[in-house]
Amino acid sequence: MSSVLIYGSYGFVGSLVAREAIDRGLEVVLAGRDPEAVREQVEDLERPGRRFALEESDVVREALAGADVDCVLNCAGPFSNTAEPLVEACVETGTEYVDITGEIPVIEGIADRDEAAREAGVTLVPAAAFSAVPMDCLAAHLAERLPDPDSLALGVDSLRPPSIGTVRTVIEGAEDGGAVYRNGRLEHVPAAWRTRRIDFGRGYREGVTMPTGDVATAHYTTGISNVAVYVAIPQPARSLLKLHRYVAPIVAAKPVSETLKAVAGLVREGPSSWSRERGSAYVWGEARDEYSGERVVSRLRTPDPYVLTVDAAVTAVERVLETDLEPGFRTPAGAFGPEFVLDLEGVAGFFDEGTPDTESPRIDVAG
Ligand SMILES: NC(=O)c1ccc[n+]([C@@H]2O[C@H](COP(=O)([O-])OP(=O)(O)OC[C@H]3O[C@@H](n4cnc5c(N)ncnc54)[C@H](OP(=O)(O)O)[C@@H]3O)[C@@H](O)[C@H]2O)c1
């Protein structure tokens, strides 16, 4: 039977993923850099474990080869620190790779390893998580509805407290501000660059542009040259985000970001199972052809982002192990098709708005 090594298996998401993978009958190897945490989890879940850090490439390579695994599922973030060594070791040892990153630079870095992965015959699937599976699949669906659109706007409305790991990842990426794809190139823009009123599926709300991993995956999946992602955020937070333009250099400064991360670590682990069970998210997407004026809108409703992340990550690993996928860098929708998101539990959609039309003009509010 094929086996999966879950790196960062004792983190908040990693431990949920490990339990889910075991429940689904996958052969799981638990892994991470902290010997005590791995040992405790091995005892608790009664599965084999491997302790290794990612600083030395030969150690990582030997750990994968020694564990005799078919796929790595990387749940250790910020992924800017963990994806590269694991991807390189996967390429060198012929091991499939899946992760749950939502970081644009990480996805771009993995895209750059496409050729090496093809030559090695391995598939690299980053962002098999809330960011980016729903929006990536929605983007692919919209591109099927309106061939060759020149712009894609995507958005999500989900109010929920993040896990501490997510907070740390956001702090780590603070100095980067915002990002969109414009004219086929990834462009850095200020934080909360554009504001837009969007009907995500439960009435209009204001969304601001955010540099989520969906920006990159939607571009790679569809080839659309202009992609922006909006996140619905209440007014006080929108103002704070705009302020971020001025405070980002301070937040990103080493002593400050280290202190924030340390404080974040003291606060709380992640959303409780109670709030995960009740959470939900509304996902919206619009493709436009600026020349013809044609526009299509589709929506999705999903369970709580953490619930979806666990389901998406484990399902992606199952598909990678069971399906004969084309090797190379693949986005979730690129690898498994637009319908992938509909196979996840509790997802409803696609809700399509009309046929291509020229109504409903875009409403941009000054950023
Ligand atoms: N794309 C999405 O939609 C999505 C959804 C949920 C979470 N995430 C991301 O997933 C990541 C994990 O989230 P979480 O809530 O599980 O965080 P967490 O509880 O803090 O767990 C992080 C895990 O990563 C490990 N880790 C971090 N840096 C490492 C490094 N340099 N080398 C080796 N191991 C390292 C940690 O090990 P130690 O304890 O030993 O440091 C821990 O096991 C975050 O980056 C978060 O943003 C993405």
Side-chain angles (χ1 to χ4, degrees), residues 4-19:
V4 55
L5 179 142
I6 303 174
Y7 195 80
S9 60
Y10 54 82
F12 175 70
V13 178
S15 52
L16 295 172
V17 161
R19 284 181 187 277

Side-chain angles (χ1 to χ4, degrees), residues 101-164:
T101 187
E103 299 159 52
I104 295 174
V106 171
I107 295 165
E108 296 285 339
I110 296 176
D112 288 344
R113 302 303 287 148
D114 180 50
E115 204 181 318
R118 279 173 198 271
E119 280 168 17
V122 303
T123 311
L124 309 174
V125 186
F130 183 74
S131 174
V133 170
M135 283 199 225
D136 194 34
C137 291
L138 196 61
H141 175 70
L142 286 162
E144 280 181 355
R145 292 186 66 205
L146 182 67
D148 293 328
D150 38 31
S151 77
L152 187 62
L154 299 163
V156 61
D157 176 10
S158 161
L159 257 189
R160 71 121 46 266
S163 73
I164 281 322

Side-chain angles (χ1 to χ4, degrees), residues 7-16 31-35 37 52-55 74-83 85-86 99-103 107 126-134 162-170 212-214 265 268-271 305-306 308-310:
Y7 195 80
S9 60
Y10 54 82
F12 175 70
V13 178
S15 52
L16 295 172
R33 65 177 167 182
D34 181 339
F52 60 99
L54 303 174
E55 277 77 22
N74 182 11
C75 295
F79 294 87
S80 47
N81 301 329
T82 65
L86 284 168
D99 74 29
I100 60 161
T101 187
E103 299 159 52
I107 295 165
F130 183 74
S131 174
V133 170
S163 73
I164 281 322
T166 301
V167 173
R168 283 201 194 96
T169 301
V170 169
T212 68
D214 312 270
R268 55 208 279 296
E269 278 244 295
Y306 283 90
L308 187 129
T309 292
V310 171

Side-chain angles (χ1 to χ4, degrees), residues 56-74:
E56 289 166 38
S57 54
D58 50 337
V59 171
V60 185
R61 209 172 36 240
E62 277 163 32
L64 295 196
D68 195 22
V69 291
D70 303 289
C71 182
V72 165
L73 172 52
N74 182 11

